[in-house]
Amino acid sequence: MASKIQPSDKVRYVQRHEVGSNLRKYKALYLLSIPGILYFIVFKYVPLMGSVMAFQNYNLFKGITGSPWVGLDNFIRMFEYDEFLKIFMNTLLIGLYDIVIAFPVPIILALLLNEVRKMVYKRILQTVVYMPHFLSWVIIGGIAVGILSPTTGIVNTMLGWFGMEPVYFLGENSYIRSILISSGVWKDAGWGTIIYLAALAGVNPELYEAAKIDGASRWKQTTAITIPTIMPTIAIMFLLHIGHFLDFGFERVYVFLNSLNSESGEILDTYIYRVGLLGKQYSYTTAIGLFKSLIGLVLIMIGNRLSKKATGESLY
């Protein structure tokens, strides 16, 4: 006698049927996603296998399979170096300044652009603030050097009008962090407004009309309607930003770095380049990179949990 069909068998059949149906229905989208999936596999996941170098005394000629294992020696060495600890603190401070100062700027800029009613002026302003994003950091560095030059720079020229002595901004440790943050704001603030402007475009106009009837000012409309509406977008962008807390960018710092300001300006990325590639200490710098990635992962997990409790929005 044939066995009866159990409910669990029916569920599995329905699930397989739905999966097959979705594959046929959205096959064009799945095909379009293949290049992106291959990109992440080849350039993101395959290189992860190289992380084992952090636990080896890597030899360039023996390769990963022939290099001897040293366990956690590279990580212990990392925290024993005063130079590393100082550079790690530099990276933390610069990353913190970037979150506190640079992260809110695109939000404020998007709110201001959203208040411009003349579309011609709005498009012109958007184009002007977007343009620096398409310049390389080499060009940005050259512009900064020209502006801050102690002899011909416009900043020192203006200081001279007030009888002040010229200042070599790129030659002093006290100014390098401010230069790094401000140059980043100028370059990427306009580009960062795109997502926030898209979120602002989705705000229901009827909410503003009701607020006007109640006598709410533009500032009150912004604080009571606009900001709460785009808060989920802000939360997601903040989570993505905090995941790169220690990834300030090698080229962003390297073009401004010199022997006079490296004490306060050098970060982990430039340190890895100097010690790992130029000094050929591959295992040691791989351990630093792995440590930096783990911190980013922990920050994302903490931020995601806090965001989910505070706003109900999260990455996962």
Side-chain angles (χ1 to χ4, degrees):
M1 188 171 119
S3 61
K4 294 182 179 180
I5 298 177
Q6 300 297 322
S8 58
D9 297 331
K10 294 181 180 179
V11 171
R12 285 194 292 269
Y13 172 77
V14 171
Q15 288 177 342
R16 287 196 296 268
H17 178 73
E18 289 179 353
V19 170
S21 177
N22 288 332
L23 285 174
R24 289 191 298 270
K25 185 177 180 180
Y26 301 109
K27 63 180 180 180
L29 294 178
Y30 288 123
L31 289 174
L32 287 173
S33 67
I34 289 176
I37 294 172
L38 290 176
Y39 167 80
F40 278 96
I41 292 174
V42 174
F43 295 104
K44 300 295 182 180
Y45 289 99
V46 172
L48 286 176
M49 293 186 292
S51 299
V52 299
M53 291 168 53
F55 307 95
Q56 295 179 320
N57 183 13
Y58 180 73
N59 186 297
L60 187 63
F61 300 100
K62 294 181 179 179
I64 293 177
T65 56
S67 299
W69 294 89
V70 295
L72 299 176
D73 286 358
N74 290 312
F75 294 92
I76 296 172
R77 173 190 173 192
M78 184 171 62
F79 289 105
E80 288 179 345
Y81 276 16
D82 292 336
E83 183 183 25
F84 167 79
L85 294 176
K86 189 171 185 178
I87 292 171
F88 180 59
M89 289 304 300
N90 282 344
T91 310
L92 285 177
L93 285 173
I94 293 175
L96 181 63
Y97 295 156
D98 188 54
I99 287 180
V100 173
I101 299 173
F103 179 76
V105 173
I107 303 172
I108 297 170
L109 190 57
L111 292 173
L112 293 175
L113 287 173
N114 191 56
E115 295 299 318
V116 178
R117 293 293 174 257
K118 294 286 185 180
M119 291 305 296
V120 176
Y121 298 149
K122 187 174 182 178
R123 298 303 180 194
I124 292 173
L125 286 173
Q126 285 179 314
T127 303
V128 170
V129 297
Y130 290 170
M131 285 179 63
H133 174 78
F134 299 99
L135 301 177
S136 68
W137 276 109
V138 176
I139 297 175
I140 298 294
I143 294 173
V145 169
I147 292 175
L148 300 176
S149 171
T151 55
T152 60
I154 186 173
V155 175
N156 279 298
T157 300
M158 294 175 66
L159 292 177
W161 295 346
F162 298 96
M164 300 175 67
E165 294 293 325
V167 179
Y168 185 23
F169 292 98
L170 289 172
E172 296 189 21
N173 282 306
S174 57
Y175 293 109
I176 184 61
R177 292 171 183 163
S178 300
I179 293 171
L180 291 173
I181 299 300
S182 57
S183 61
V185 169
W186 180 68
K187 184 179 187 297
D188 293 325
W191 186 255
T193 61
I194 293 176
I195 294 177
Y196 298 111
L197 285 173
L200 289 170
V203 179
N204 190 350
E206 294 180 358
L207 296 175
Y208 294 112
E209 294 175 3
K212 287 179 182 178
I213 295 173
D214 291 339
S217 62
R218 293 300 302 177
W219 173 251
K220 188 63 177 178
Q221 293 176 37
T222 301
T223 56
I225 299 174
T226 307
I227 295 179
T229 305
I230 66 171
M231 187 57 68
T233 303
I234 295 175
I236 295 299
M237 294 304 296
F238 180 76
L239 289 175
L240 294 174
H241 190 88
I242 202 173
H244 297 281
F245 181 71
L246 297 181
D247 292 325
F248 194 68
F250 165 77
E251 66 281 357
R252 179 174 177 175
V253 176
Y254 191 72
V255 294
F256 294 103
L257 211 60
N258 56 57
S259 58
L260 299 176
N261 59 32
S262 61
E263 184 178 349
S264 297
E266 188 165 25
I267 62 173
L268 290 178
D269 291 329
T270 55
Y271 180 65
I272 289 172
Y273 169 75
R274 177 167 61 85
V275 176
L277 294 181
L278 300 184
K280 298 180 178 61
Q281 300 183 45
Y282 304 113
S283 294
Y284 173 58
T285 50
T286 301
I288 296 175
L290 186 59
F291 170 72
K292 188 176 70 169
S293 300
L294 289 175
I295 290 180
L297 176 62
V298 171
L299 288 174
I300 285 181
M301 294 174 67
I302 295 173
N304 189 76
R305 182 176 291 273
L306 294 176
S307 175
K308 195 169 186 178
K309 288 184 177 180
T311 66
E313 296 292 331
S314 61
L315 292 175
Y316 56 89

